[in-house]
Structure formats: structure tokens, C-alpha cells
Amino acid sequence: MNSSSNNKYLLAGESGGSKTAFCLLKVSGEIVLATVGNGVATVREGILPVKATLVAEIANIWKKARIAKSDISHCYFSLGGPNQREVEAALKKVLPKTEIRVGREGDGDLITTCMRYFGCVATVMAGTGTVAVGEFGGKRYFAGGWGPEFDDAGGGGRIGKDAVAAFLLALDQRGEKTSLRGLFKPLMPKVDIKTFAGRMELKRNIHMLSRKHLADYAPWVYKHFKKGDHAAKEIITRSAKDIAALAAAVLPEKSRLNRIKILCLGGIFQLGREFRDLCAKYLRDLRPECELVFPDNFDLSRGACLMVLKMAGVVVDDKVIQAVLKK
């Protein structure tokens, strides 16, 4: 890179269904500023206020970092949904002089970049939704990422949805009593729940829950799991089994490897140590040669930092990687 570009900044973004993480960094890999805002990834365009969200978030970055928008030379944005054109148009509007690339989280480019730094051959990403990618012999294997209606298996969206279902079944006396009922107290109707009007009010409230709201229940479900609630145990156990199945699905049947390392990224793995242990246990049942890797100081936003550095022509060596991981 020429010397004049050393004064420029790079912007890395990563967005799923619940949140968007931005990192403003120098070409040295040093992260100047990290912010978290609302997610902009959706199953189709026009669902979320994508433009308004990105304009506000990037303006906040300019203000906090005390830079001009023209100071950002490159922007790499990893997106967890298919509304790629919508996000790209919004970024180009707010950063007209910046070279911009919007990559899909599930296409494997970002994931394979991340996993190579950890000696892994596959990655499971689990946040609001889930997706997995493996790479063997130059071929990529994909699993998951089918969206909230038909998938999200192992992710926060599915955990929240399962918790709502368990609550409703218990309410109807079609399922066991569960302490999860307390999570949904704010949704309970103002009229008698035993009446038709009460049931319909509860139904309306539940159907107003967004994917993000459903995913927000996941840490609370995990707390009830830790306390021994039967329904919460079933939900969390199912999630761990789904994660294991995702990991196994992107591995070839015969790999000739005695040990396979799989990188795990995403907020769902922050639920707790016991959850991570469950995921590892169920994967060993499927593929005994596999080991899950849970990096404490690395997430997809840091992976996006590596991508924007490469995009800007920076040689990503150990020194640069350490700078990215430092903050």
C-alpha cells in the first residue's frame, strides 16, 4: 500500500438477525472503535429500516472517532440474510467514496478465512440463526441457513420459539408445567386467559414477537435449564444436538483425518460452558474424531476485520492478527 493510504481507516461490519457489529480500524489491524447496533439481516428486502439503521450507526462512528466519512477507504460488510442489495445500496449512499463489498455470511468466504487462523476445516456459526461451512480438498460443504420459518436449528431464534411453544402447551395443560411461564408474563392478556378474548389477546402479543425478540429469550431459557426446568432442559439439549448435527453435516463421510477441528462462532456459544460441553459431547457421538474450538477473543466481527484488511491489500500476518484480536 502507498504511504498516503496509511492515514485512511477501514470499516468492518457484521450483521445477523439481532445485531450489527462495526469495527473501525487502521491498516495496522488496530481497532480504533467498536460499536453494536440493531441487526439489518432479513429474509427479504423492506422488512427492517436498513438505510436508517446504517446511516445512524455510521454517523455515530464518525462522531465518536472524529473522522470524516471520506477517511474510510474500504468497507467489508458480512450479512446473515439475503437482502444483500438493500444493504449494499444503503452503504453506498452513506459512504459514496468508499470501496464497499457486502458478503453473505453463508457463502463461506468469511468463514473459511476465519477458520484457517485456528487450524480448523469447518465452522459452525450460531446466533439468531445458524449455518455451517466446511472445506475439504478445495470443495465447500454447506448446511443450515434456511431461515426462521423452516430452520434456525440450534440458534437463538429456535430456542425462543421452542420456549413459547412449551409455555403455550403448559398453558393448555397439553404439556408439563414449566418455570418458563414467567418469561412471558409481560405478554399475558389484561383479561381472563381462560376466555376466548384473553386467548386471542395473548395470541396477538405472541405473533408480534420479532425474530430478535425470540432470540433474546435464549439466555433466559438457559438459566431455567441450569435450574433444572424440564422444558428448558429439552430445549437446550435439542439445541446442542442441532449444533452437533450441523457440524457433522459439513464433513465428508471419510476424511482420512484422525483429528478434525471445527470452529464455533456466534452468540449462542456464550450461553455457558455446560452448553458448549453438550455440543462437543453430541458431536463426538456422531464423529468421534472431531473437536470443537471456542475462541474467547474472536467473533465474526473480528473475521470481518480480517476480510477488510485483505480487501485493502494488507498482508495479514501474525502481527496484524494480534492487533485485531487485542481489543
Side-chain angles (χ1 to χ4, degrees), residues 242-305:
D242 286 337
I243 294 293
L246 265 175
V250 294
L251 305 176
E253 292 184 10
K254 295 180 181 179
S255 66
R256 296 183 181 179
L257 297 175
N258 295 323
R259 187 186 181 201
I260 296 175
K261 294 171 69 176
I262 300 171
L263 185 64
C264 295
L265 298 175
I268 207 68
F269 297 114
Q270 302 305 313
L271 288 178
R273 175 64 181 272
E274 191 169 346
F275 178 75
R276 295 192 291 271
D277 288 346
L278 279 175
C279 294
K281 172 188 179 301
Y282 290 124
L283 179 58
R284 284 195 301 271
D285 291 342
L286 298 173
R287 298 291 294 260
E289 75 274 29
C290 290
E291 173 190 349
L292 295 180
V293 177
F294 304 100
D296 292 327
N297 60 343
F298 190 87
D299 55 24
L300 284 175
S301 66
R302 296 304 189 265
C305 290

Side-chain angles (χ1 to χ4, degrees), residues 207-264:
H207 281 272
M208 289 293 289
L209 291 172
S210 67
R211 192 177 179 217
K212 178 184 183 302
H213 286 136
L214 289 170
D216 287 344
Y217 286 121
W220 297 100
V221 175
Y222 186 72
K223 287 183 178 181
H224 285 257
F225 157 76
K226 294 280 286 183
K227 292 178 180 179
D229 180 78
H230 178 73
K233 182 178 180 181
E234 284 191 348
I235 293 168
I236 294 300
T237 299
R238 184 185 307 125
S239 179
K241 288 181 177 179
D242 286 337
I243 294 293
L246 265 175
V250 294
L251 305 176
E253 292 184 10
K254 295 180 181 179
S255 66
R256 296 183 181 179
L257 297 175
N258 295 323
R259 187 186 181 201
I260 296 175
K261 294 171 69 176
I262 300 171
L263 185 64
C264 295

Side-chain angles (χ1 to χ4, degrees), residues 65 144 146 204 214-215:
W146 296 114
R204 282 193 296 271
L214 289 170

Side-chain angles (χ1 to χ4, degrees), residues 15-17 20 22 37-59 77 79-94 102:
S15 187
T20 298
F22 273 112
N38 292 327
V40 295
T42 63
V43 294
R44 58 184 180 277
E45 296 183 6
I47 296 178
L48 294 175
V50 170
K51 182 179 177 181
T53 299
L54 293 177
V55 167
E57 196 62 36
I58 294 175
F77 195 95
L79 186 64
N83 58 323
Q84 195 168 354
R85 288 185 299 179
E86 180 182 35
V87 170
E88 186 173 6
L91 288 171
K92 286 182 176 179
K93 188 74 174 179
V94 71
V102 179

Side-chain angles (χ1 to χ4, degrees), residues 20-206:
T20 298
F22 273 112
C23 291
L24 182 72
L25 61 157
K26 297 179 180 179
V27 294
S28 63
E30 177 189 351
I31 295 177
V32 178
L33 182 67
T35 66
V36 177
N38 292 327
V40 295
T42 63
V43 294
R44 58 184 180 277
E45 296 183 6
I47 296 178
L48 294 175
V50 170
K51 182 179 177 181
T53 299
L54 293 177
V55 167
E57 196 62 36
I58 294 175
N60 181 49
I61 291 171
W62 298 336
K63 184 177 179 180
K64 286 186 175 181
R66 297 180 180 180
I67 63 170
K69 59 183 178 181
S70 58
D71 289 334
I72 300 174
S73 64
H74 296 77
C75 172
Y76 177 87
F77 195 95
S78 173
L79 186 64
N83 58 323
Q84 195 168 354
R85 288 185 299 179
E86 180 182 35
V87 170
E88 186 173 6
L91 288 171
K92 286 182 176 179
K93 188 74 174 179
V94 71
L95 295 169
K97 296 184 178 180
T98 300
E99 186 176 336
I100 292 169
R101 180 185 168 194
V102 179
R104 284 296 311 281
E105 184 179 277
D107 66 13
D109 290 346
L110 170 63
I111 305 174
T112 52
T113 296
C114 293
M115 68 193 190
R116 289 178 188 131
Y117 293 111
F118 293 93
C120 296
V121 294
T123 301
V124 174
M125 295 182 296
T128 302
T130 51
V131 67
V133 178
E135 190 168 71
F136 294 83
K139 181 180 179 181
R140 285 183 183 174
Y141 299 79
F142 300 91
W146 296 114
E149 288 86 0
F150 306 108
D151 198 0
D152 278 358
R158 174 60 69 85
I159 289 175
K161 190 179 291 186
D162 287 348
V164 172
F167 156 62
L168 294 176
L169 288 174
L171 194 67
D172 274 356
Q173 297 183 345
R174 290 185 289 156
E176 294 186 31
K177 290 183 178 180
T178 171
S179 61
L180 294 175
R181 177 170 181 155
L183 297 181
F184 305 104
K185 189 175 180 180
L187 303 178
M188 291 296 282
K190 297 176 182 178
V191 297
D192 188 354
I193 188 61
K194 294 182 180 179
T195 66
F196 180 73
R199 291 173 66 85
M200 290 304 97
E201 185 177 337
L202 175 59
K203 182 177 180 179
R204 282 193 296 271
N205 293 340
I206 285 172

